[in-house]
Amino acid sequence: MMTASLNEYVIISALLFCIGFFGVLLRRNTLVVYMSLELMLVASTLALVAFSRFNNTMDGNIFVFFILTVAAAEVAVGLAIIVALFRKRHTVQIDKLDSLKN
Amino acid sequence: MDISVLQTLASRNLWGAITPEIMLGCLALLLLVLELLFPKQQHQAVPAAALVGLLCVLSDVLVNFQSAYLGEETFNGLLRHTPGGQIMRVFFLIAAIMVCLLARVSLAKQRMPRVEFYHIVLVVTAAMMLLAQANHLVMLFVALETVTIGLYILVSYYRTSSLTLEAGFKYLVMGALSSSILLFGIVLLYGVAGNPSLPAHTAQSMHYGQLAAFLAANPHNFLASVGIVFVLAGVAFKIGAFPFQIWVPDVYQGAPTPVTAFLAVSSKAVGFTALLALAGTVFASYAWLIAPVLTFFAATTLLFGNLAALTQHNVKRLIGLSGVSHAGFLILGVAAVSRVPMATGAIYFYLFAYLLASFAVFGVMTHLAGPDDADQELDHYAGLSKDHPFLALVLAIGLGSLAGIPPLVGFMGKLFIFIAAFQAGLYGLLAVAILGVVISIYYYFGWIKAAFFETWANSPDAPARPARTPVDFVTGLALGALALSTVILGFYQGPLGAWLTRR
C-alpha cells in the first residue's frame, strides 16, 4: 500500500493555502471570497493534523477543535454581515462596494 | 491515562489567577439578564451597570496588582502572569470604560438595540486581557479570534447604515485573511519545532518558552523562518502596519465612533502586546530575520501614515491614518526591545499616552457626530471654541498630545521611545520618526485651526452641519479627567514613569 509522506501533506496544504489566498485577492464575488477564506483555514487544519501524526504530538489535533469552533463563529458572523449588506445594497460584487472614500 | 495524571494537570489550573476575566464574563451575562428583567423604559440602567462593574473589576486589578501569581505559569503553561500583563489589564479596562461611556452618547442617536453592544465590549475586553498574558500559541490564536470576531459585530453594529455594513464587510475579509496567515505561521512553527530529527525538538512546541528554546538551537531553519514571517505579517494586519494598513481608513470611517476608538486604541494595543511577546522574546534568536522586517515596517508605516493623513478631510479617516503613524512609533520601540530592555517600558508608556489622548479626541468626535456616524468632516469643527469651549479645550489637549507637543504626555511617550531607539543605535529609523513628527504637526494643527480659528459659513447651499450633542455630567467628568491627566503626566511621570522605564 502506498502511504503519503509528511512532505506531500505539507505541499498540499501550502497549495490549498495559496489557492485560498489568491482567491481572496482576485475573486470579485463576496461569497467566493468568503469560501476562499475558509479554504485557508482548512489548509492550516490539514497541515496541523499531518504534523501531529508524523511528529507524534497531540497538541495539533486538539488545536484543530479550536480552529473549527473559531471558523464556525466566523462564518455565523460573516454570513450575517453579508446578508445585511446584500439587503441594503442589492449586490455582493466587491467592485460595487466602494462608497467609503475621502 | 492514569487518574492521578489528570489530577496533577487539573491542579495547575489556578482559576484565581484569572479572577478579573471571569468577573468580566459574569458581568457580560448579567447585562443580558438585566435586559430581560427591566422594563424597556429603564434600559439605561444597563450601561450604568456595565460601567459600575468595569470600575469594580478595575479596582480589583489595581488592589491585587502585586498578585501572588506574578511570574508563574498557570493552566499548564497557557498563561503566564507578568507585571507587563497586569499593566495591560489596567489598560484594556480603562479603554473599555471609555468605550462604554462614548457608546452611551453615540447609541442615543441611533435606533438600535443597546444591551448587546456593552455585552460584546465586555467579552472582547476579557479576551484582550487574557491575550496580554498568553504564553502559548493556542491561547494567542483563540484570544485573538475572540477579539476579532467580537469586533466584526461591533464594526457593523449600526446596520441601518450601508457605509457601516461595508466597513464591517471589509474588516471581516481583512481580519479573517490576517487570522489565516497568522494561523498558517503558527502551524509551520508547531510542525517544525516538533520534528523529532531536529535538535532540541519539543512535545509542547506551541509553548512560548519551549518554542524559544527550539528556535535558539536552530537559528537558521527555513520552515521556521517562513512561519515567523507569516506570524509577524498576521500581527502586522492587526496593528495596521504598512503594507497591511489598507483596511484602516475605510473601516475607521464606517465603524461607529466608539468602535473606531476601540479599534484604534485597544485592538492596536492587543497587536503590540502580541508583537512584544513574540518579537521581543520568543523569536529573539531570529534577530537576523526580525530586525530587517521590523525596520521595514517601522519606516514605511511612519512615512505612509503621516503622508496619507495630510490629504484627509473626514476626521475619522484622518485619525485612522494618524493611528497608523503611531503604530510606526511603537514598532520603532519594538525594534529596539532586543537590545534595550527599557524599550518595553517605553512602549507601555506610549500606549497609555496614546490611550489618554485618543479617547479625549474620540470623546469630542462622538459629541459632534450626527445620526450619520460616517459623516464627520473637518469643516464641522468650525466655531467649536465659541459654542463649546470645554470640548474645544479637550480636543486641543488631545490633538496636541498626539502630535507630541512638549508639555503634554504624548511628548514624553515619544521621547522615551526615541531614547530607546537611540540607545539601540537605530539612527536611520530615528531620523524617519522625527520627520514623521514634523509632518504630523501639520495635520493635527489643521484640525485645531478648524476648531479655534474658523467660523461656520452659513451659506444656504452648503450641506447642514449635524447638531452637536450637549455634554452630560459623567462623560464631561471622564473627558476632563483624560485631558487633565494628559497635562499632568506630561510634567510629572512620578513613580509610574520610573517604574515603567526601569524594566
Side-chain angles (χ1 to χ4, degrees):
Chain A
M1 197 177 79
M2 212 177 76
T3 51
S5 73
L6 177 60
N7 276 340
E8 283 149 19
Y9 282 114
V10 175
I11 288 169
I12 287 189
S13 89
L15 278 177
L16 277 176
F17 186 82
C18 289
I19 295 172
F21 183 74
F22 287 107
V24 173
L25 294 188
L26 302 176
R27 296 305 291 260
R28 287 282 152 253
N29 185 306
T30 48
L31 287 173
V32 180
V33 167
Y34 212 62
M35 282 157 62
S36 307
L37 286 171
E38 295 304 311
L39 201 58
M40 290 169 76
L41 286 181
V42 169
S44 303
T45 313
L46 175 66
L48 260 182
V49 175
F51 279 133
S52 187
R53 164 80 178 72
F54 283 88
N55 289 349
N56 214 7
T57 50
M58 278 306 286
D59 305 32
N61 283 325
I62 310 288
F63 194 11
V64 169
F65 288 118
F66 285 102
I67 297 173
L68 289 179
T69 319
V70 162
E74 212 166 64
V75 167
V77 173
L79 286 182
I81 292 176
I82 293 177
V83 167
L85 188 64
F86 181 73
R87 280 195 188 157
K88 263 288 178 255
R89 300 282 272 271
H90 305 288
T91 177
V92 286
Q93 295 298 316
I94 288 202
D95 312 335
K96 305 267 170 58
L97 299 176
D98 57 354
S99 24
L100 286 166
K101 53 170 105 65
N102 193 24
Chain B
M1 194 184 279
D2 193 2
I3 191 79
S4 63
V5 176
L6 293 176
Q7 276 171 345
T8 331
L9 289 179
S11 71
R12 282 185 225 150
N13 293 353
L14 302 170
W15 292 96
I18 54 165
T19 317
E21 286 82 0
I22 295 174
M23 281 162 75
L24 273 186
C26 293
L27 181 63
L29 292 176
L30 180 72
L31 293 189
L32 298 183
V33 175
L34 286 182
E35 189 200 14
L36 288 178
L37 291 182
F38 283 160
K40 214 162 185 126
Q41 297 79 25
Q42 290 175 355
H43 272 183
Q44 68 271 30
V46 171
L51 282 169
V52 172
L54 276 168
L55 283 173
C56 290
V57 179
L58 179 62
S59 49
D60 175 67
V61 173
L62 286 176
V63 167
N64 295 320
F65 197 82
Q66 301 288 348
S67 85
Y69 301 102
L70 276 187
E72 277 194 51
E73 291 188 358
T74 55
F75 295 90
N76 294 299
L78 282 180
L79 297 178
R80 185 158 174 273
H81 306 281
T82 56
Q86 296 287 75
I87 294 172
M88 291 318 289
R89 270 178 165 174
V90 175
F91 180 94
F92 291 130
L93 283 170
I94 296 176
I97 290 171
M98 284 312 300
V99 169
C100 288
L101 276 173
L102 300 191
R104 273 174 68 240
V105 180
S106 184
L107 281 166
K109 300 172 193 168
Q110 309 284 335
R111 295 174 53 81
M112 282 288 151
R114 311 269 165 88
V115 179
E116 289 81 355
F117 190 96
Y118 302 100
H119 175 82
I120 299 170
V121 168
L122 292 179
V123 173
V124 167
T125 304
M128 287 169 170
M129 286 159 67
L130 282 178
L131 197 144
Q133 303 164 76
N135 192 39
H136 198 280
L137 289 174
V138 173
M139 187 71 227
L140 173 79
F141 181 74
V142 173
L144 197 61
E145 280 303 286
T146 314
V147 172
T148 313
I149 293 176
L151 282 172
Y152 297 155
I153 306 173
L154 290 180
V155 167
S156 39
Y157 200 80
Y158 292 171
R159 61 175 193 278
T160 47
S161 152
S162 84
L163 291 179
T164 299
L165 283 174
E166 186 182 318
F169 176 73
K170 285 182 175 166
Y171 188 61
L172 171 76
V173 172
M174 284 303 164
L177 185 68
S178 68
S179 304
S180 311
I181 294 175
L182 176 79
L183 178 64
F184 203 71
I186 292 177
V187 170
L188 288 179
L189 285 173
Y190 163 73
V192 73
N195 188 344
S197 60
L198 289 175
H201 69 91
T202 159
Q204 287 225 323
S205 48
M206 285 186 279
H207 181 270
Y208 281 3
Q210 310 265 355
L211 184 60
F214 169 82
L215 292 175
N218 301 273
H220 287 280
N221 187 296
F222 172 69
L223 264 188
S225 31
V226 175
I228 287 173
V229 170
F230 274 39
V231 169
L232 288 183
V235 176
F237 256 113
K238 307 279 175 206
I239 57 182
F242 187 89
F244 305 112
Q245 89 305 346
I246 31 171
W247 57 276
V248 168
D250 283 0
V251 172
Y252 277 42
Q253 185 191 354
T257 311
V259 181
T260 312
F262 205 26
L263 276 176
V265 179
S266 296
S267 179
K268 194 167 286 158
V270 160
F272 276 101
T273 48
L275 192 62
L276 210 50
L278 293 171
T281 52
V282 182
F283 300 159
S285 47
Y286 275 62
W288 60 271
L289 176 69
I290 295 178
V293 171
L294 286 180
T295 308
F296 170 76
F297 278 160
T300 50
T301 307
L302 274 166
L303 283 178
F304 178 87
N306 283 314
L307 290 176
L310 281 178
T311 58
Q312 303 296 324
H313 303 294
N314 184 300
V315 289
K316 282 167 101 180
R317 293 178 83 88
L318 174 59
I319 196 120
L321 287 163
S322 90
V324 170
S325 78
H326 285 284
F329 288 112
L330 286 160
I331 301 174
L332 175 63
V334 177
V337 158
S338 59
R339 273 167 282 178
V340 185
M342 164 263 191
T344 315
I347 291 171
Y348 289 135
F349 193 86
Y350 195 98
L351 280 172
F352 269 94
Y354 183 65
L355 167 96
L356 296 174
S358 293
F359 273 112
V361 174
F362 278 113
V364 177
M365 284 166 67
T366 314
H367 285 90
L368 263 70
D372 179 6
D373 203 77
D375 176 38
Q376 300 186 32
E377 302 295 321
L378 270 180
D379 298 341
H380 297 170
Y381 283 76
L384 183 69
S385 61
K386 292 206 180 55
D387 305 345
H388 288 83
F390 173 70
L391 284 183
L393 183 69
V394 171
L395 181 76
I397 292 175
L399 288 175
S401 179
L402 286 178
I405 303 302
L408 301 169
V409 66
F411 169 74
M412 295 310 294
K414 284 198 170 68
L415 188 66
F416 285 144
I417 295 267
F418 286 178
I419 291 173
F422 183 77
Q423 286 178 352
L426 304 167
Y427 304 119
L429 277 183
L430 206 52
V432 175
I434 290 169
L435 181 67
V437 174
V438 174
I439 303 173
S440 76
I441 288 175
Y442 177 78
Y443 57 79
Y444 286 126
F445 271 74
W447 196 342
I448 294 180
K449 191 178 101 211
F452 278 84
F453 302 115
E454 280 168 18
T455 45
W456 179 250
N458 242 342
S459 62
D461 46 311
R465 181 176 65 187
R468 290 167 179 164
T469 320
V471 187
D472 71 25
F473 176 70
V474 182
T475 322
L477 199 67
L479 289 182
L482 288 178
L484 200 63
S485 40
T486 301
V487 175
I488 291 175
L489 277 174
F491 284 112
Y492 176 69
Q493 295 80 41
L496 176 74
W499 186 77
L500 277 171
T501 45
R502 195 178 60 227
R503 42 198 73 239

